[in-house]
Amino acid sequence: MSLGKQMSRMLQVNLDAVQHNMTVLRATAPAAQAMAVVKADGYGHGASDVGRASVEAGAEWLGVADISEALALRDSGLDVPILAWLHPDTRRFSEAVAHSVTLGVSTLGQLEAAARAAQEVRHPAVVHIKVETGLHRNGFDDDRLADAFNLARHMESRGLVRIEGIFSHLANASESADRAALDRFHSAVSLARAARLEPRLRHVAATAAGFFRPDTHLDLVRWGIGLYGVAPDDGDPRDLSLRPALTMCTRVVATRTVRAGEGISYNYADIAESDLRTALVPVGYADGIPRLASPGAWVSIGGVRCSVRGRIAMDQMVVECPPSVREGDQVTIFGDPTMGAPSVSEWAKSAGTIGYDVIARLPRPGGRLTRRAAHYNHVGASAADRIIAGHGVST
Ligand SMILES: *Cc1c(COP(=O)(O)O)cnc(C)c1O
């Protein structure tokens, strides 16, 4: 059905684009395994839908921050390896081990908790050891590595843990900074081997390094933002052969004329320079639209670029539009630029932030935002095309 009257605000997730992107990413690092990173509900796209589509397209792994996210993926029936790497506490380690969630471990306390969990559920904990190489977030520092590896080896010999991987994360600071981080990482791997550990999977690269630093691919690449068709540097995704997977659309709720010299939206921060036709678009910062994207942001109504005028409010915003625009016309807030829609990255740039920030803070569906994931083949009409045409949204 079309974007119906009941569905006033809608996120359309094109799983075909996700699968296309996974195919591109795998070809970019052909010798490495591919992890689809679906933390934060799949960067706002839906973790289980994106996870399943990615696995179908060849991803060997799923990656999340929290154990709760990993267990939700298991609940939805995904049985591939899942790595969870950020643990505010270790309370759910037993559940994680019981559900074969691989634990990224950054402290001796976590390593001990993994061994205890293994004893409790009578199943070895599969562990990837995180090494600090410059970001100063989590991971073992150089001076703690020997202790960590010795303890890990001891636990492995008792059958409590299996050290399957060793990993780190890059700062994308500069060529030389990433080189230094990679050198530190390789030293850590040597130290692990000296402690008679055999981590089969060494991994440090996320999307940016995956595309721009082939020397960081190692055994596995953790692909996040690229999977969603957003370039890691907010460049044009087409330059990386990626397709944006997400379209946000709604309908015009009112149109009017604003006379020259009159104010638009709160504080009259914007004054009509001449008589303007405007449309009221019922999405605002409560729907994840960055308030600071105005001035500068625009939406597409029937393929026409319509600038946001005045302050973006909690539930709505005003755009300048052609006289032909009518109440009920479909509006694409962001989507695939090849279909004439602004990209997530354009919104991000207007708001002084990055594409990651725009998509990750979209509200979870279930409130006033509807989210539909479907396969839209780009051969022929794209998702955005069909949504704008009003006949492409399946239920
Ligand atoms: C989020 C995250 C990723 C994915 O990063 P992208 O830049 O989105 O590809 C990879 N690894 C870790 C540890 C992360 O936290």
Side-chain angles (χ1 to χ4, degrees), residues 37 39 43 85 137 167 169 206-208 222-226 356:
V37 177
K39 62 190 180 186
Y43 293 45
W85 54 69
R137 301 202 312 196
F167 73 115
H169 195 51
T207 301
R222 304 184 304 263
W223 301 104
I225 198 81
Y356 293 80

Side-chain angles (χ1 to χ4, degrees), residues 74 136 192 275:
R74 285 282 181 260
H136 295 107
D275 291 0

Side-chain angles (χ1 to χ4, degrees), residues 284-303:
Y285 57 81
D287 306 298
I289 298 302
R291 180 175 172 277
L292 297 179
S294 162
W298 58 280
V299 302
S300 166
I301 305 181

Side-chain angles (χ1 to χ4, degrees), residues 198-219:
E198 285 151 24
R200 179 171 73 76
L201 296 172
R202 301 159 302 153
H203 50 109
V204 299
T207 301
F211 273 110
F212 307 124
R213 300 219 37 154
D215 58 333
T216 64
H217 290 172
L218 308 180
D219 305 309

Side-chain angles (χ1 to χ4, degrees), residues 4-163:
K5 294 278 183 269
Q6 326 84 301
M7 286 191 275
S8 53
R9 302 172 184 85
M10 165 124 162
L11 287 170
Q12 173 73 28
V13 181
N14 184 358
L15 298 176
D16 241 40
V18 169
Q19 295 193 319
H20 162 87
N21 294 334
M22 182 40 76
T23 305
V24 169
L25 302 174
R26 275 162 43 84
T28 303
Q33 293 189 22
M35 175 184 289
V37 177
V38 294
K39 62 190 180 186
D41 198 24
Y43 293 45
H45 293 58
S48 62
D49 287 328
V50 171
R52 182 163 296 103
S54 301
V55 168
E56 282 169 17
E60 289 93 344
W61 280 84
L62 298 176
V64 290
D66 284 27
I67 287 172
S68 59
E69 296 179 303
L71 294 173
L73 291 169
R74 285 282 181 260
D75 271 353
S76 77
L78 284 157
D79 57 8
V80 298
I82 303 175
L83 178 65
W85 54 69
L86 192 64
H87 314 296
D89 56 63
T90 58
R91 273 178 284 186
R92 302 193 82 182
F93 272 30
S94 300
E95 254 180 291
V97 175
H99 289 89
S100 301
V101 171
T102 305
L103 296 167
V105 157
S106 289
T107 65
L108 292 176
Q110 288 174 359
L111 193 53
E112 283 158 357
R116 277 198 305 277
Q119 263 168 333
E120 199 180 315
V121 306
R122 299 169 182 282
H123 191 280
V126 182
V127 165
H128 290 203
I129 293 183
K130 175 103 189 262
V131 178
E132 155 60 24
T133 57
L135 264 183
H136 295 107
R137 301 202 312 196
N138 61 1
F140 289 98
D141 282 320
D142 291 348
D143 58 356
R144 305 308 303 276
L145 275 175
D147 285 350
F149 292 149
N150 289 332
L151 181 62
R153 173 67 196 138
H154 174 67
M155 289 169 169
E156 197 169 61
S157 66
R158 292 175 58 203
L160 295 174
V161 303
R162 185 156 64 78
I163 307 301

